[in-house]
Amino acid sequence: IYLVQHLQLDATYALKLLDKNMWSDATAVKRFKLEAQTVSKLTHPSLITYRDFGVTNDGQPYLVMDYIQGRTLGQKIKETRGLFLPNVLE
């Protein structure tokens, strides 16, 4: 996932690329596209918004999503040595 700047909109987004080793795996590409289709239909304050899905000229699938500054879930789990149910539910 890369931090990218849309020059025309002056907006910052996150760009998720399917790993090059997975391009030829039809199942992986289908799963990546299904992720884009599924998440784009969901709206909730705790969910990220997917803005675009496509394939580069080279054939690499990509997703464009809102960029949210902060720690990743993995970082949070590592820092707190796990997630506690009351905090997760909140």
Side-chain angles (χ1 to χ4, degrees):
I1 298 179
Y2 299 91
L3 180 64
V4 296
Q5 184 74 24
H6 191 296
L7 299 176
Q8 301 302 318
L9 298 178
D10 191 29
T12 302
Y13 294 102
L15 175 68
K16 182 177 182 178
L17 299 169
L18 184 63
D19 186 271
K20 289 185 178 188
N21 296 324
M22 305 296 281
W23 292 6
S24 60
D25 182 342
T27 302
V29 173
K30 184 176 180 180
R31 192 175 309 137
F32 195 77
K33 183 177 180 180
L34 183 61
E35 174 187 340
Q37 291 172 334
T38 302
V39 174
S40 70
K41 295 176 185 171
L42 302 174
T43 56
H44 187 275
S46 296
L47 295 176
I48 194 132
T49 301
Y50 280 22
R51 300 293 179 176
D52 194 15
F53 169 82
V55 179
T56 66
N57 292 337
D58 293 341
Q60 185 174 24
Y62 66 87
L63 294 168
V64 178
M65 61 192 96
D66 287 344
Y67 170 72
I68 299 175
Q69 190 172 6
R71 296 181 310 230
T72 67
L73 179 58
Q75 290 168 331
K76 176 70 174 173
I77 291 170
K78 194 176 210 179
E79 290 170 7
T80 60
R81 296 185 180 165
L83 296 177
F84 302 98
L85 185 58
N87 296 343
V88 173
L89 294 175
E90 183 181 307

